[in-house]
Amino acid sequence: MTFIQVITIFLFAALGFLLFIIILGLVIKLFIFNSLKYRYQKNHAPELIKKKWFINIDNFKLNWFGEINPKGDKIILCIHDLGFSSRQFDNIEEYMLKKNPATSVVSFDLRGHGKNEIEKYHNLGKHLFDVKQVVTYLINKYPDQKLIILGTGLGSLLTQEVMGLVNVEKVILASLSNKIFYQSLSKANSRIFWGTIFNSQKLIPLNYEPLDLMENNVGMQNYKKSLADSGFISVREFYQFNTLQRRFWKALSKNSDKVEVIQGDSDRLVNPKKIAKKIANFSNLNFKIMKNVRHFPLNDIEVEKILKDI
């Protein structure tokens, strides 16, 4: 074996080892990216402050929406969609105050949305954590009131860890989501690719056009304002979204008897074939398809039609 052959073998071995390290690093990265774990320090007992802020046990302040009637009989906890805020439920609160004051409507801004502080590190696991903390607080604080959870889009997926709780009477999912982007896909994919390699916190614009997702003029204006401030998702959250979906369907399979799904047939954030296959597995799921309705049925359908059975 000549000296050149030895050098060649050595170089190929070194390149092979380097390639192995790169691939191993990417695999580890993807494993971390897909994880929904959130490590926190317990700094504060969960508390609702002056009906304005919910202070979580990690001391994060969540902007609060609505008031709870201490003498009421039901509480509807609303969880908003990606890029929106708790103001998405103005019409729900207004309807209940007029029709049934004994039913309280409350919500909160998810981290990175609405009036909350901007966080440096984005993690959908924090949203799951917050939803569970709020639900646990409401159950302990108001044990005699029935709790109903209403989610939309991302908010629907975030119900997965609480829909099975005994104290949760009913879960209403007003639109599902099984994809994040529906336009400017090449730009989004490029950001995801480079972000996967270099920076998982790189933000990707959602590029949503409110008119594509709803018809209600007031709702569109509110959504447009919200998107200007929080219409982004990080590369890591993109990967976590897929994990969130897989876990959601598993949770739904165990609790479908108390879940109602309201889905528009013109929803651009849903792949209809995939949803149809998923729904076909649930014989006792109350699933309603609304004709000529886009992604936000709560904004485009009369509230009474959605909440008439509450």
Side-chain angles (χ1 to χ4, degrees):
M1 184 178 292
T2 66
F3 177 74
I4 293 177
Q5 289 177 320
V6 171
I7 294 297
T8 301
I9 292 173
F10 175 79
L11 288 175
F12 274 110
L15 287 173
F17 180 73
L18 180 61
L19 183 62
F20 170 77
I21 293 298
I22 292 173
I23 293 174
L24 179 63
L26 285 174
V27 170
I28 293 173
K29 269 191 172 186
L30 290 175
F31 177 80
I32 295 173
F33 291 173
N34 281 278
S35 173
L36 289 167
K37 289 184 179 180
Y38 168 48
R39 296 178 180 177
Y40 63 92
Q41 290 184 339
K42 188 174 181 180
N43 297 318
H44 192 286
E47 184 180 6
L48 183 58
I49 305 294
K50 298 180 180 179
K51 305 174 185 177
K52 292 183 177 181
W53 302 97
F54 182 83
I55 312 296
N56 223 327
I57 61 176
D58 63 350
N59 210 33
F60 190 86
K61 291 169 59 178
L62 296 167
N63 181 58
W64 189 259
F65 169 85
E67 294 186 25
I68 298 174
N69 182 351
K71 297 181 180 179
D73 52 27
K74 292 181 181 179
I75 299 173
I76 302 177
L77 173 64
C78 305
I79 308 172
H80 69 79
D81 203 350
L82 186 66
F84 224 141
S85 74
S86 56
R87 304 307 305 186
Q88 180 183 355
F89 307 107
D90 282 342
N91 59 336
I92 305 293
E93 181 190 42
E94 183 180 348
Y95 170 80
M96 279 301 174
L97 286 173
K98 291 179 179 178
K99 298 291 183 178
N100 188 4
T103 298
S104 304
V105 176
V106 296
S107 182
F108 63 93
D109 292 340
L110 296 174
R111 300 192 192 206
H113 295 73
K115 296 181 180 179
N116 289 335
E117 294 179 2
I118 297 175
E119 286 197 298
K120 184 177 180 180
Y121 296 103
H122 298 259
N123 179 355
L124 293 185
K126 294 180 180 180
H127 298 331
L128 281 174
F129 172 79
D130 291 335
V131 169
K132 194 169 185 178
Q133 291 298 310
V134 171
V135 169
T136 302
Y137 172 84
L138 293 175
I139 288 173
N140 293 334
K141 186 73 174 180
Y142 304 96
D144 297 327
Q145 297 198 41
K146 296 178 180 178
L147 181 60
I148 298 167
I149 301 177
L150 189 157
T152 68
L154 174 65
S156 293
L157 301 181
L158 294 176
T159 65
Q160 59 185 265
E161 291 193 357
V162 295
M163 62 171 59
L165 297 179
V166 176
N167 303 74
V168 175
E169 180 188 55
K170 186 175 183 178
V171 178
I172 302 174
L173 308 179
S175 81
L176 301 174
S177 290
N178 60 7
K179 59 181 179 180
I180 297 176
F181 305 106
Y182 69 88
Q183 60 182 1
S184 302
L185 299 182
S186 59
K187 290 183 179 180
N189 289 334
S190 175
R191 285 175 179 257
I192 292 168
F193 175 79
W194 293 112
T196 301
I197 298 174
F198 297 110
N199 180 13
S200 66
Q201 292 299 316
K202 186 178 184 63
L203 296 179
I204 311 168
L206 296 175
N207 288 320
Y208 290 169
E209 179 56 51
L211 183 59
D212 293 338
L213 304 178
M214 71 175 76
E215 290 184 287
N216 182 280
N217 288 327
V218 176
M220 275 194 285
Q221 293 304 316
N222 289 336
Y223 194 35
K224 191 172 183 178
K225 292 178 182 177
S226 295
L227 286 172
D229 297 325
S230 52
F232 305 88
I233 190 169
S234 71
V235 171
R236 183 184 182 187
E237 288 174 311
F238 170 81
Y239 286 104
Q240 288 181 314
F241 183 83
N242 297 320
T243 304
L244 204 63
Q245 282 194 84
R246 291 193 297 271
R247 293 188 180 185
F248 166 79
W249 289 107
K250 289 181 180 179
L252 185 60
S253 67
K254 299 176 183 178
N255 303 284
S256 58
D257 58 326
K258 63 177 178 180
V259 177
E260 177 181 347
V261 178
I262 301 167
Q263 184 63 51
D265 66 346
S266 302
D267 190 343
R268 298 191 67 175
L269 292 176
V270 164
N271 183 314
K273 291 184 179 180
K274 289 185 178 181
I275 288 292
K277 287 182 179 180
K278 293 287 187 180
I279 295 298
N281 296 322
F282 301 97
S283 58
N284 60 340
L285 179 66
N286 186 356
F287 182 72
K288 300 177 182 177
I289 296 181
M290 313 301 290
K291 293 184 178 180
N292 302 316
V293 173
R294 301 172 195 180
H295 183 65
F296 290 107
L298 288 177
N299 296 90
D300 288 342
I301 302 174
E302 292 181 16
V303 175
E304 188 172 0
K305 292 182 180 179
I306 296 177
L307 303 181
K308 62 182 180 180
D309 296 328
I310 293 180

